């Protein structure tokens, strides 16, 4: 089971990265070029990379917990 979970996590990480990128493009669409340059500089910095990874890890954890809760609720209803 643990290996399957790791496999699924590896599969969904690119989805979250792409979703985040698209969300940020939409959110920051009104920024000037210089503001976008500064943002991209941050994103590519070690701090920005750390932040992106922390967000992804948090989202995966939240989804895992939600799945666990859903599984328990389904189990309770079946009993």
């Amino acid at each position: 089971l643990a290996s399957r979970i790791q496999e699924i996590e590896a599969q969904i990480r690119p989805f979250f990265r792409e979703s985040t990128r698209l969300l940020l493009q939409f959110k920051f669409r009104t920024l000037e070029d210089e503001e976008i340059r500064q943002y991209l500089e941050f994103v590519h910095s070690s701090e920005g990379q750390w932040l992106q990874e922390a967000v992804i890890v948090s989202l995966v954890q939240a989804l895992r917990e939600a799945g666990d809760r859903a599984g328990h609720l389904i189990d309770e209803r079946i009993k």
Side-chain angles (χ1 to χ4, degrees):
L1 181 60
S3 64
R4 180 66 179 136
I5 290 171
Q6 288 178 342
E7 182 182 317
I8 291 170
E9 286 177 355
Q11 290 173 355
I12 63 174
R13 276 183 195 270
F15 168 77
F16 282 117
R17 287 184 197 275
E18 180 65 10
S19 295
T20 301
R21 185 184 69 77
L22 292 172
L23 175 65
L24 292 173
Q25 282 181 337
F26 179 76
K27 184 176 182 178
F28 299 125
R29 69 191 180 282
T30 60
L31 294 180
E32 298 294 327
D33 289 348
E34 178 59 21
E35 293 168 311
I36 293 171
R37 188 197 61 71
Q38 290 173 356
Y39 173 75
L40 289 173
E41 187 175 302
F42 170 73
V43 167
H44 293 290
S45 70
S46 59
E47 295 87 358
Q49 292 293 306
W50 178 88
L51 179 61
Q52 287 183 0
E53 185 62 23
V55 167
I56 290 168
V57 167
S58 296
L59 286 171
V60 168
Q61 179 67 29
L63 288 172
R64 182 183 294 134
E65 290 173 7
D68 288 346
R69 283 194 303 273
H72 289 297
L73 288 172
I74 290 168
D75 186 50
E76 300 259 330
R77 301 261 174 153
I78 292 174
K79 289 182 180 178

